[in-house]
Amino acid sequence: MTASPRFEPVYFPLRHLQLAGWRSGPADAPLCLCLHGWQDNANSFAALAPYLTDVQLLSIDLPGHGQSGHRSAGAHYHFADWLDELCELLQLLQQPSAPVHTKLPIHLIGHSMGGMIGTMLAATFPEYIRSLILLDSFGLVTAEEQNTT
């Protein structure tokens, strides 16, 4: 039987909103950022935590989800819009005073929409990502409707 991990709530004040989530695992282990799917939250990854004990998991609620802040009225939630907040988060994680501190690059697990966002992040900023795991996701569909299965 795998031991139950300890989930520590974490909060990250960004320029325009606050991200919420949890961390588990050894603080000195490699960081694995977890991005959830649409209409979901950070707890999507709670069931994986007991099996990923050799990494530090950081699972966040994306903006507009769970306990994280929402964007201002009239703002959009396009896939590319999440890259700004994620880049700001990754810069914050490099600060010794951050609630979770790490060096780049990191591991990233993305589920569904989180995988699509993670694919964009890894393609745009490959220096930030050591490895990318996609669960129920294959990246963004960019082909014309008639050419997409």
Side-chain angles (χ1 to χ4, degrees), residues 111-123:
H111 172 248
S112 190
M113 179 188 75
M116 295 176 192
I117 297 166
T119 300
M120 288 181 58
L121 182 64

Side-chain angles (χ1 to χ4, degrees), residues 5 8 35 61 65 70 74 79 81 87 92 98 102 111 116 134 137 144:
E8 175 187 334
L35 303 178
D61 292 327
H65 295 79
H70 292 257
F79 285 102
D81 294 331
C87 287
L92 180 63
T102 193
H111 172 248
M116 295 176 192
L134 304 177
S137 183
E144 293 296 324

Side-chain angles (χ1 to χ4, degrees), residues 16-147:
H16 302 295
L17 54 82
Q18 178 174 270
L19 291 180
W22 54 261
R23 64 155 302 283
S24 71
D28 59 346
L31 185 77
C32 182
L33 177 63
C34 301
L35 303 178
H36 62 78
W38 186 50
Q39 294 187 343
D40 217 336
N41 60 51
N43 289 331
S44 295
F45 297 94
L48 284 178
Y51 303 99
L52 300 175
T53 57
D54 57 344
V55 295
Q56 178 181 194
L57 289 181
L58 172 58
S59 189
I60 61 165
D61 292 327
L62 289 165
H65 295 79
Q67 299 300 310
S68 285
H70 292 257
R71 295 190 182 126
S72 62
H76 298 285
Y77 287 87
H78 299 129
F79 285 102
D81 294 331
W82 275 290
L83 291 184
D84 184 52
E85 286 108 353
L86 289 177
C87 287
E88 189 176 350
L89 172 64
L90 291 173
Q91 295 303 314
L92 180 63
L93 293 177
Q94 295 179 82
Q95 304 302 316
S97 60
V100 175
H101 176 67
T102 193
K103 293 181 180 178
L104 299 177
I106 62 162
H107 301 284
L108 192 146
I109 300 175
H111 172 248
S112 190
M113 179 188 75
M116 295 176 192
I117 297 166
T119 300
M120 288 181 58
L121 182 64
T124 308
F125 300 100
E127 67 274 17
Y128 291 174
I129 307 300
R130 177 175 306 202
S131 67
L132 175 64
I133 298 170
L134 304 177
L135 305 173
D136 296 324
S137 183
F138 54 85
L140 294 174
V141 177
T142 58
E144 293 296 324
E145 176 181 338
Q146 61 273 18
N147 297 326

